[in-house]
């Protein structure tokens, strides 16, 4: 009899325990839900966030750039390629140029033909490279070239021979190997070789006489004076001006300069006697 009472008690205890577990579970579920505060009817609503701009991936931006390059004028694409060849001084295949600049040479016959026939581009049948007028590799070859032009070599003809050519010209000038002068008529820089055998010592009286010498303001008059003294001018200003007028090109008006500036310009005109101009102001 007592065993039956014990079983009934255990059964009731289990049922009570299950009811407690169920109650605890429901309480835990209710506390986990977020509580919403009631807002007054007339309370202003929170401002809506502005829509975020759509951000393109890097790949999308790259594709847009490729499309803009290939739709650009042929001249603009040629410029991109020549700038690459000039800065790197390396030979590139069409595929390498495409990877670097996005200019599709094989896909655009006009671009290919323009590059192949460009005077600044060398094409060996497979690769493209930059082509300067004079194939120079360094300062030594530059000096050899300058010495081949005793009457002067225009700097513009060598300034793109290799990346540091202008620095090398200044170094050669500092070392006394060359003279860098400006052409009075064309305003272009001219480099002359300095022959060490031609170095002479000039008296101070001759230097002073040279400083006091006045030259005509017009280049035509200077050329006439040279011819009177049996010297053939290197320029023909009258002929050049006549040709310019025939072609409809008006000569540039030269501003008047002070006498001191004319004397300084005179030094640059007499390029065949650079020794006379050393220490003029001493």
């Amino acid at each position: 009899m007592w065993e039956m009472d014990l079983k009934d008690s255990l059964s009731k205890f289990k049922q009570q325990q299950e009811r407690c577990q169920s109650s605890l579970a429901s309480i835990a579920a209710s506390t986990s839900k977020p509580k919403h505060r009631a807002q007054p009817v007339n309370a202003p609503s929170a401002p809506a966030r502005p829509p975020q701009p759509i951000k393109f991936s890097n790949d999308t931006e790259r594709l847009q750039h490729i499309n803009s390059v290939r739709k650009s004028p042929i001249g603009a694409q040629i410029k991109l390629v020549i700038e690459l060849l000039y800065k790197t001084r390396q030979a590139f295949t069409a595929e390498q140029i495409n990877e670097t600049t996005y200019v599709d040479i094989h896909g655009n016959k006009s671009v290919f033909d323009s590059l192949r026939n460009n005077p600044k581009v060398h094409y060996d049948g497979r690769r493209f490279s930059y082509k300067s007028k004079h194939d120079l590799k360094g300062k030594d070859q530059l000096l050899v070239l300058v010495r081949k032009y005793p009457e002067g070599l225009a700097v513009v003809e060598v300034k793109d021979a290799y990346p540091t050519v202008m620095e090398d010209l200044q170094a050669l000038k500092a070392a006394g190997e060359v003279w860098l002068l400006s052409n009075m008529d064309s305003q272009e820089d001219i480099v002359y070789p300095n022959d060490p055998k031609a170095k002479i010592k000039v008296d101070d009286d001759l230097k002073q006489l040279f400083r006091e010498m006045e030259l005509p303001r017009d280049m035509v008059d200077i050329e006439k004076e040279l011819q009177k003294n049996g010297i053939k001018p290197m320029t023909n200003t009258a002929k050049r001006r006549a040709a310019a007028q025939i072609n409809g090109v008006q000569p540039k008006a030269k501003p008047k300069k002070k006498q001191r500036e004319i004397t300084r310009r005179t030094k640059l005109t007499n390029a065949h006697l650079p020794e006379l101009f050393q220490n003029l102001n001493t």
Side-chain angles (χ1 to χ4, degrees), residues 102-113:
Y102 304 125
V103 176
D104 187 9
I105 296 176
H106 285 327
N108 192 327
K109 187 177 183 300
S110 297
V111 173
F112 174 77
D113 292 338

Side-chain angles (χ1 to χ4, degrees), residues 3-258:
E3 292 178 357
M4 295 292 295
D5 294 336
L6 181 59
K7 291 180 179 179
D8 292 336
S9 298
L10 290 173
S11 177
K12 291 178 181 179
F13 177 76
K14 290 180 179 180
Q15 292 176 359
Q16 186 178 4
Q17 195 175 25
E18 290 175 357
R19 286 196 296 269
C20 289
Q21 292 290 343
S22 178
S23 299
L24 290 173
S26 62
I27 292 172
S30 62
T31 55
S32 64
K33 295 180 180 180
K35 296 181 180 180
H36 299 280
R37 294 182 180 179
Q39 295 184 354
V41 177
N42 297 327
S45 59
R49 293 182 179 181
Q52 296 295 326
I54 300 175
K55 294 184 178 180
F56 295 101
S57 64
N58 292 334
D59 189 61
T60 303
E61 294 179 354
R62 185 178 67 88
L63 292 176
Q64 289 179 335
H65 179 61
I66 293 174
N67 186 56
S68 65
V69 168
R70 294 181 178 176
K71 285 188 176 181
S72 62
I74 294 177
Q77 298 185 52
I78 297 298
K79 182 180 178 182
L80 285 175
V81 176
I82 292 180
E83 286 179 350
L84 171 68
L85 301 179
Y86 174 77
K87 291 178 180 179
T88 60
R89 300 304 173 105
Q90 298 178 4
F92 290 84
T93 63
E95 292 77 11
Q96 291 171 334
I97 292 175
N98 188 7
E99 293 174 359
T100 308
T101 64
Y102 304 125
V103 176
D104 187 9
I105 296 176
H106 285 327
N108 192 327
K109 187 177 183 300
S110 297
V111 173
F112 174 77
D113 292 338
S114 297
L115 274 177
R116 185 180 57 180
N117 299 320
N118 194 290
K120 291 295 183 181
V121 176
H122 173 69
Y123 179 61
D124 62 2
R126 182 173 177 268
R127 297 183 299 177
F128 298 86
S129 58
Y130 188 82
K131 181 175 66 175
S132 57
K133 183 174 182 179
H134 299 282
D135 186 17
L136 305 175
K137 303 300 182 184
K139 184 167 59 176
D140 294 338
Q141 294 184 4
L142 175 62
L143 181 58
V144 171
L145 176 67
V146 173
R147 287 175 175 171
K148 294 179 180 179
Y149 293 85
E151 296 181 355
L153 175 66
V155 173
V156 69
E157 294 189 9
V158 297
K159 71 176 183 179
D160 64 341
Y162 56 93
T164 60
V165 65
M166 299 306 295
E167 290 83 351
D168 286 347
L169 277 175
Q170 293 297 332
L172 291 173
K173 176 184 176 182
E177 298 287 351
V178 300
W179 295 93
L180 270 177
L181 306 174
S182 294
N183 186 285
M184 177 182 171
D185 194 41
S186 63
Q187 302 299 318
E188 293 180 352
D189 291 335
I190 308 294
V191 56
Y192 298 87
N194 183 20
D195 187 357
K197 295 181 294 184
K199 292 183 178 179
I200 58 176
K201 184 178 180 180
V202 181
D203 294 335
D204 293 338
D205 294 340
L206 185 57
K207 293 180 182 180
Q208 184 64 27
L209 179 63
F210 178 83
R211 284 196 295 265
E212 295 175 353
M213 185 182 301
E214 294 186 7
L215 292 180
R217 293 182 179 275
D218 197 309
M219 191 63 186
V220 174
D221 296 331
I222 295 177
E223 293 170 354
K224 289 180 180 179
E225 291 295 327
L226 290 173
Q227 291 174 348
K228 288 180 181 179
N229 290 275
I231 302 175
K232 182 180 179 181
M234 298 298 298
T235 58
N236 191 334
T237 305
K239 183 178 179 181
R240 179 181 58 81
R241 290 177 181 175
Q245 291 179 356
I246 293 174
N247 296 327
V249 179
Q250 296 295 328
K252 295 182 180 179
K254 296 183 179 179
K256 293 184 179 180
K257 296 185 179 181
K258 297 180 181 179

